[in-house]
Amino acid sequence: MPVVYIHIPFCKQRCKYCDFNSYAGLDPFHGPYVRALLSEINFQALRLDDIDAPSIYIGGGTPTLLNPLYMDALLAEVYRWFSVSDAAEVTIEANPETVTKEKLVQLRRAGVNRLSIGFQSLDDGLLKLLGRKHSAQQAVSAFKDAREAGFNNVNIDLIFGIPGQSLAGWAVTLEQAASLDPEHISCYGLTVEPGTLLEREIAAGKLQVPDEDLQADMFAYTMGSLAESGFEHYEISNYAKSGRRCRHNLVYWDNGDYIGFGAGAHSKIGSKRFYNTANPKEYIESIGARGASISEITDLSTGNMISETIFLGLRKIEGLDLKSFEARFGRSVYDIYSAQIAKLAEDGLLEQDNGSLRLTDKGILLGNEVFSRFI
Ligand code: SF4
């Protein structure tokens, strides 16, 4: 059962920290790109053995930059070729400055039932520093508009560890976001990616990222504060009200199958992983010429699958289910990684609990160090 991902690579302008596959200034390509997506959905679906899709996720870029009529067409094409149940989760990512109540109503009518709004911060100074195109007030208005449009499943994306951000400032943003009573909050530590404007400004000494201790304090504060507000911490960066975990992303963390459409989209079906051409113009051309735009196919070895299943599973706070792992690979995780697990347990980073192998509180803060031992 592959989940379906559709990538919309267009943005109004590039945020300073962004290294996603997104492009500003390509408005004339919206129509041709959507037409290419429609062809690709048709082309690939005919080649899949399993067309049961439990969720659809439209991400970007900024999907809400497109006319909602395009979303109508895209979702209709997915429904035409895939078997999507009435209970399927259908998410779209939105940036505050690109939505209006009318647009959100149209998206609800098109079948979108979950909205993920990129707030990133509720501090106007930090939003500007990140190169975001919206204010805190616009973010809050977008959330209220979403409620009025009938969205009862809304995620708010936030970033901590921004240059100049204090723990007290982060606490205010977090509390203001939680007070809106969303169903889900994602909190990501800022990563300074190579080649971004943010990296250049930091290298030039114009900005300074908070030190590791402050970032760890912000993470620890997040866990405590959102628990008090009634959110379950279920993945390193994700918090949800009861029953509102993101079903689409849970498939990724369970190392399940996904089919991605659009420029740069990734897919994993069984032991095959494939990637589409990242550049939207090249993507449109190759879909026109060949029906597909796959630039690379990898055959995953059992070793690759085991290692990915472990480190993705450990991202979940409940951890890696040991019985499911054994049923999937015919071996216990201890047969393969006993020395690594023993060392990580000795260092207080991993523990076994209720049939799961999971990160301790200390391990959650040092997740990347733990994952690197399983690669
Ligand atoms: S809105 Fe998102 S995808 Fe677009 S430039 Fe900003 S961070 Fe990147």
Short mmCIF file of all heavy atoms in Angstrom, two decimals, residues 10-23 60-62 93 95 97 120 131-132, ligand 1:
data_model
loop_
_atom_site.label_atom_id
_atom_site.label_comp_id
_atom_site.label_asym_id
_atom_site.label_seq_id
_atom_site.Cartn_x
_atom_site.Cartn_y
_atom_site.Cartn_z
N PHE A 10 7.29 25.19 -6.48
CA PHE A 10 7.29 26.64 -6.70
C PHE A 10 7.14 27.42 -5.39
O PHE A 10 6.36 27.03 -4.52
CB PHE A 10 6.14 27.01 -7.64
CG PHE A 10 6.15 26.22 -8.92
CD1 PHE A 10 5.10 25.36 -9.22
CD2 PHE A 10 7.21 26.32 -9.81
CE1 PHE A 10 5.11 24.61 -10.39
CE2 PHE A 10 7.23 25.58 -10.98
CZ PHE A 10 6.17 24.72 -11.28
N CYS A 11 7.87 28.52 -5.28
CA CYS A 11 7.73 29.42 -4.12
C CYS A 11 7.75 30.85 -4.61
O CYS A 11 8.24 31.14 -5.71
CB CYS A 11 8.90 29.22 -3.15
SG CYS A 11 8.76 27.67 -2.25
N LYS A 12 7.20 31.76 -3.78
CA LYS A 12 7.21 33.18 -4.15
C LYS A 12 8.62 33.70 -4.20
O LYS A 12 9.02 34.43 -5.07
CB LYS A 12 6.42 33.98 -3.11
CG LYS A 12 4.99 34.20 -3.49
CD LYS A 12 4.36 35.23 -2.59
CE LYS A 12 2.94 35.48 -3.04
NZ LYS A 12 2.18 36.27 -2.09
N GLN A 13 9.37 33.35 -3.15
CA GLN A 13 10.80 33.66 -3.14
C GLN A 13 11.48 32.66 -2.22
O GLN A 13 10.80 31.99 -1.43
CB GLN A 13 11.06 35.10 -2.69
CG GLN A 13 10.97 35.33 -1.21
CD GLN A 13 11.40 36.75 -0.84
OE1 GLN A 13 11.12 37.70 -1.55
NE2 GLN A 13 12.06 36.87 0.30
N ARG A 14 12.77 32.52 -2.34
CA ARG A 14 13.47 31.51 -1.55
C ARG A 14 13.74 32.02 -0.13
O ARG A 14 14.24 33.14 0.05
CB ARG A 14 14.80 31.17 -2.21
CG ARG A 14 14.61 30.59 -3.58
CD ARG A 14 14.48 29.10 -3.58
NE ARG A 14 15.73 28.46 -3.23
CZ ARG A 14 15.84 27.22 -2.77
NH1 ARG A 14 14.76 26.50 -2.58
NH2 ARG A 14 17.01 26.70 -2.49
N CYS A 15 13.41 31.23 0.85
CA CYS A 15 13.78 31.59 2.22
C CYS A 15 15.28 31.39 2.37
O CYS A 15 15.87 30.56 1.68
CB CYS A 15 13.03 30.70 3.21
SG CYS A 15 11.24 30.81 3.04
N LYS A 16 15.87 32.14 3.31
CA LYS A 16 17.34 32.12 3.40
C LYS A 16 17.92 30.77 3.79
O LYS A 16 19.07 30.48 3.52
CB LYS A 16 17.78 33.13 4.47
CG LYS A 16 17.77 34.55 4.00
CD LYS A 16 18.40 35.41 5.09
CE LYS A 16 18.15 36.86 4.83
NZ LYS A 16 18.58 37.68 5.97
N TYR A 17 17.15 29.96 4.48
CA TYR A 17 17.68 28.70 5.01
C TYR A 17 17.34 27.51 4.12
O TYR A 17 17.72 26.38 4.41
CB TYR A 17 17.12 28.44 6.42
CG TYR A 17 15.60 28.35 6.43
CD1 TYR A 17 14.94 27.14 6.36
CD2 TYR A 17 14.84 29.51 6.49
CE1 TYR A 17 13.56 27.07 6.35
CE2 TYR A 17 13.45 29.46 6.47
CZ TYR A 17 12.83 28.24 6.41
OH TYR A 17 11.46 28.18 6.39
N CYS A 18 16.61 27.75 3.02
CA CYS A 18 15.99 26.65 2.29
C CYS A 18 16.96 25.90 1.38
O CYS A 18 17.65 26.51 0.56
CB CYS A 18 14.85 27.20 1.44
SG CYS A 18 14.01 25.88 0.55
N ASP A 19 16.96 24.57 1.51
CA ASP A 19 17.66 23.77 0.50
C ASP A 19 16.73 22.71 -0.07
O ASP A 19 17.16 21.69 -0.58
CB ASP A 19 18.95 23.15 1.06
CG ASP A 19 18.69 21.88 1.83
OD1 ASP A 19 17.59 21.76 2.41
OD2 ASP A 19 19.57 20.99 1.82
N PHE A 20 15.42 22.96 0.02
CA PHE A 20 14.44 22.05 -0.58
C PHE A 20 14.45 22.24 -2.10
O PHE A 20 14.97 23.24 -2.59
CB PHE A 20 13.02 22.31 -0.06
CG PHE A 20 12.88 22.15 1.42
CD1 PHE A 20 12.27 23.14 2.19
CD2 PHE A 20 13.36 21.02 2.07
CE1 PHE A 20 12.15 23.01 3.56
CE2 PHE A 20 13.24 20.88 3.44
CZ PHE A 20 12.64 21.87 4.19
N ASN A 21 13.82 21.34 -2.79
CA ASN A 21 13.76 21.45 -4.25
C ASN A 21 12.64 22.45 -4.60
O ASN A 21 11.51 22.06 -4.88
CB ASN A 21 13.50 20.09 -4.88
CG ASN A 21 13.65 20.12 -6.38
OD1 ASN A 21 14.51 20.84 -6.91
ND2 ASN A 21 12.81 19.40 -7.09
N SER A 22 12.96 23.73 -4.50
CA SER A 22 11.95 24.76 -4.74
C SER A 22 12.57 25.91 -5.53
O SER A 22 13.77 26.17 -5.43
CB SER A 22 11.39 25.27 -3.41
OG SER A 22 12.38 25.98 -2.72
N TYR A 23 11.73 26.60 -6.31
CA TYR A 23 12.20 27.61 -7.25
C TYR A 23 11.26 28.81 -7.22
O TYR A 23 10.04 28.62 -7.22
CB TYR A 23 12.26 27.06 -8.67
CG TYR A 23 13.08 25.79 -8.78
CD1 TYR A 23 12.54 24.55 -8.41
CD2 TYR A 23 14.41 25.82 -9.21
CE1 TYR A 23 13.29 23.38 -8.46
CE2 TYR A 23 15.17 24.67 -9.27
CZ TYR A 23 14.61 23.45 -8.89
OH TYR A 23 15.36 22.30 -8.94
N GLY A 60 5.92 20.80 -0.77
CA GLY A 60 6.68 21.67 -1.67
C GLY A 60 8.02 22.04 -1.09
O GLY A 60 8.52 21.38 -0.18
N GLY A 61 8.47 23.23 -1.58
CA GLY A 61 7.79 24.29 -2.29
C GLY A 61 6.56 24.82 -1.52
O GLY A 61 6.40 24.62 -0.34
N THR A 62 5.74 25.48 -2.27
CA THR A 62 4.52 26.06 -1.70
C THR A 62 3.32 25.64 -2.54
O THR A 62 2.93 26.35 -3.49
CB THR A 62 4.62 27.61 -1.67
OG1 THR A 62 5.84 27.99 -1.03
CG2 THR A 62 3.45 28.23 -0.92
N GLU A 93 0.53 21.26 2.17
CA GLU A 93 1.35 22.25 2.89
C GLU A 93 0.95 23.64 2.41
O GLU A 93 0.68 23.84 1.22
CB GLU A 93 2.83 22.02 2.60
CG GLU A 93 3.37 20.75 3.24
CD GLU A 93 4.84 20.52 2.91
OE1 GLU A 93 5.41 21.27 2.08
OE2 GLU A 93 5.40 19.57 3.47
N ASN A 95 1.68 28.04 2.92
CA ASN A 95 2.39 29.17 3.51
C ASN A 95 1.37 30.27 3.77
O ASN A 95 0.49 30.51 2.92
CB ASN A 95 3.49 29.67 2.58
CG ASN A 95 4.79 28.91 2.83
OD1 ASN A 95 4.90 28.18 3.80
ND2 ASN A 95 5.75 29.09 1.96
N GLU A 97 1.06 33.47 3.60
CA GLU A 97 0.76 34.59 2.69
C GLU A 97 0.10 34.13 1.40
O GLU A 97 -0.29 34.96 0.58
CB GLU A 97 2.05 35.38 2.39
CG GLU A 97 3.03 34.72 1.43
CD GLU A 97 3.89 33.61 2.04
OE1 GLU A 97 3.62 33.20 3.17
OE2 GLU A 97 4.83 33.17 1.34
N GLN A 120 6.73 28.68 11.16
CA GLN A 120 8.18 28.71 11.46
C GLN A 120 8.51 29.54 12.70
O GLN A 120 9.30 29.12 13.52
CB GLN A 120 9.02 29.20 10.25
CG GLN A 120 8.65 28.57 8.90
CD GLN A 120 8.48 27.05 8.92
OE1 GLN A 120 8.73 26.40 9.93
NE2 GLN A 120 8.00 26.46 7.83
N GLY A 131 13.97 35.15 6.05
CA GLY A 131 13.57 35.43 4.67
C GLY A 131 12.16 34.95 4.37
O GLY A 131 11.82 34.72 3.20
N ARG A 132 11.34 34.80 5.40
CA ARG A 132 9.95 34.39 5.17
C ARG A 132 9.17 35.59 4.63
O ARG A 132 9.49 36.74 4.92
CB ARG A 132 9.31 33.90 6.48
CG ARG A 132 10.02 32.74 7.13
CD ARG A 132 9.80 31.43 6.43
NE ARG A 132 8.41 31.02 6.41
CZ ARG A 132 7.99 29.91 5.79
NH1 ARG A 132 8.85 29.13 5.15
NH2 ARG A 132 6.73 29.58 5.80
S1 SF4 B 1 8.58 28.37 1.57
FE1 SF4 B 1 9.54 26.41 2.14
S2 SF4 B 1 10.17 25.47 0.22
FE2 SF4 B 1 9.72 27.64 -0.23
S3 SF4 B 1 11.68 28.67 -0.08
FE3 SF4 B 1 10.71 28.82 1.95
S4 SF4 B 1 11.47 27.02 3.08
FE4 SF4 B 1 11.90 26.68 0.90
#
